[in-house]
Amino acid sequence: MTTNGRGAPAIEADGLVKKFGDNVAVDGVSFAVPEGTVTGLLGPNGAGKTTTVRMMTTLTKPTAGTARVAGFDVREHPGQVRARLGLTGQAATVDELLTGRENLRLIGSLYGLPTAEVKRRGDELLERFSLTDAAGRIAKGYSGGMRRRLDLAVSLIAHPPVLFLDEPTTGLDPRSRVELWAVLRDLVRDGTTLLLTTQYLEEADHLADDIVVIDRGTVIAHGTPLQLKDAAGKASIVVTVSHASDLEQAERLVRASIAELHVDPAARQITAAANGLADMTRIAGVFADSGIELDDLGLKRPSLDDVFLHLTGHRAEDDQATETEEVLA
């Protein structure tokens, strides 16, 4: 298993298998997450993402294979593993009858932390997650975004070096999602290692250093977001002319440099296959001297949604249906 030369792995999956009767939910999953990085675990509903996380966090035992967190084997040293990780599931698990501050102090006491440390750490987390003003309010009255932030704060009360996030922004509005992304980036800058499962491809693109794609319980691709996009197809130069009357001349100019192109008259747009920035620079120079007015000229790489289509034969689903393996688990 490679860690791309970025340090020792903080999380390792080694041939993980999980069977529920005759159903194989996870079938030989292996990957590694270097310290202080973010790996996104992507896949369609029922692919095995949540079951993989449950095995790696000691919530369910592997049928075969093993995993290590912060150097400790989940089979041989589950207590040591649990002491070194934080986990945020798909639904917020805070006690709605307690205040935000009481939630933090309850979990801190369950970890056996000294009272003074729990108070200090709790206050730090309330400040970090913009919950100080709401700390004395019952959590039942929190918005969805506030509950997710509190849930994440609770998972960090013991200052774990490794954090597992199972679809942490499910159900959040776009603003709350972006705010949570900022908090997660801060955690990584401070040295936390994250394993993130998500159905939001934009989320993985923003946060992940590496992406592991799972389908039908097996790893079908692993690489950086850019590597996966490049594997899904070439980048394209997209030229949008301001006036439809210039489209034919613009097509001739582009075709003189790049033969493989597509013209969309309704959008006044030309899309041409490109080998990178060199082609982009050349086309930009052509239009700079042409007198043709452009609305836009840019380089478009395949999206992670294109990666999904390339790897699985369908686009990523946007629904938030519960994964099959959660029911089975």
Side-chain angles (χ1 to χ4, degrees), residues 54-287:
R54 288 175 62 83
M55 287 188 285
M56 301 185 84
T57 55
T58 76
L59 294 178
T60 189
K61 292 183 178 180
T63 304
T66 192
R68 286 170 289 278
V69 176
F72 291 94
D73 190 287
V74 298
R75 286 179 175 273
E76 298 177 3
H77 305 287
Q80 296 280 16
V81 169
R82 287 192 289 269
R84 287 162 174 79
L85 66 83
L87 171 64
T88 298
Q90 293 183 19
T93 55
V94 299
D95 190 325
E96 294 188 342
L97 300 181
L98 298 178
T99 67
R101 180 174 284 110
E102 288 169 344
N103 267 283
L104 286 161
R105 292 183 178 178
L106 171 64
I107 300 303
S109 65
L110 291 176
Y111 270 105
L113 301 176
T115 302
E117 182 179 348
V118 171
K119 182 178 183 303
R120 177 188 59 78
R121 179 68 175 155
D123 288 344
E124 288 177 356
L125 290 168
L126 289 167
E127 176 70 24
R128 183 170 205 168
F129 287 89
S130 302
L131 291 170
T132 300
D133 291 343
R137 288 166 42 194
I138 300 297
K140 187 175 182 179
Y142 282 15
S143 68
M146 292 170 67
R147 290 187 196 184
R148 292 305 276 165
R149 295 203 304 273
L150 179 59
D151 196 34
L152 187 55
V154 165
S155 70
L156 294 170
I157 189 68
H159 214 306
V162 177
L163 188 60
F164 290 82
L165 305 176
D166 193 8
E167 305 205 12
T169 61
T170 294
L172 296 187
D173 60 81
R175 178 179 177 181
S176 297
R177 189 175 299 135
V178 171
E179 288 175 349
L180 190 54
W181 290 352
V183 171
L184 296 178
R185 282 192 290 265
D186 286 343
L187 290 174
V188 176
R189 278 194 291 269
D190 289 346
T192 302
T193 303
L194 302 186
L195 179 67
L196 168 79
T197 78
T198 180
Q199 291 187 43
Y200 297 112
L201 299 181
E202 181 187 11
E203 185 161 89
D205 217 357
H206 273 76
L207 295 175
D209 300 296
D210 289 296
I211 292 175
V212 177
V213 184
I214 294 182
D215 194 25
R216 299 180 182 179
T218 63
V219 175
I220 61 173
H222 184 191
T224 67
L226 183 56
Q227 286 170 341
L228 294 181
K229 290 175 187 177
D230 285 345
K234 287 185 176 181
S236 299
I237 295 171
V238 181
V239 180
T240 306
V241 300
S242 300
H243 308 290
S245 58
D246 290 329
L247 187 60
E248 186 175 344
Q249 182 185 354
E251 179 187 352
R252 287 197 299 269
L253 290 174
V254 175
R255 198 177 291 279
S257 295
I258 304 174
E260 185 182 346
L261 56 79
H262 171 74
V263 180
D264 183 349
R268 308 187 311 279
Q269 200 167 79
I270 301 165
T271 302
N275 290 318
L277 291 176
D279 282 347
M280 175 70 182
T281 302
R282 185 168 64 257
I283 295 298
V286 167
F287 279 98

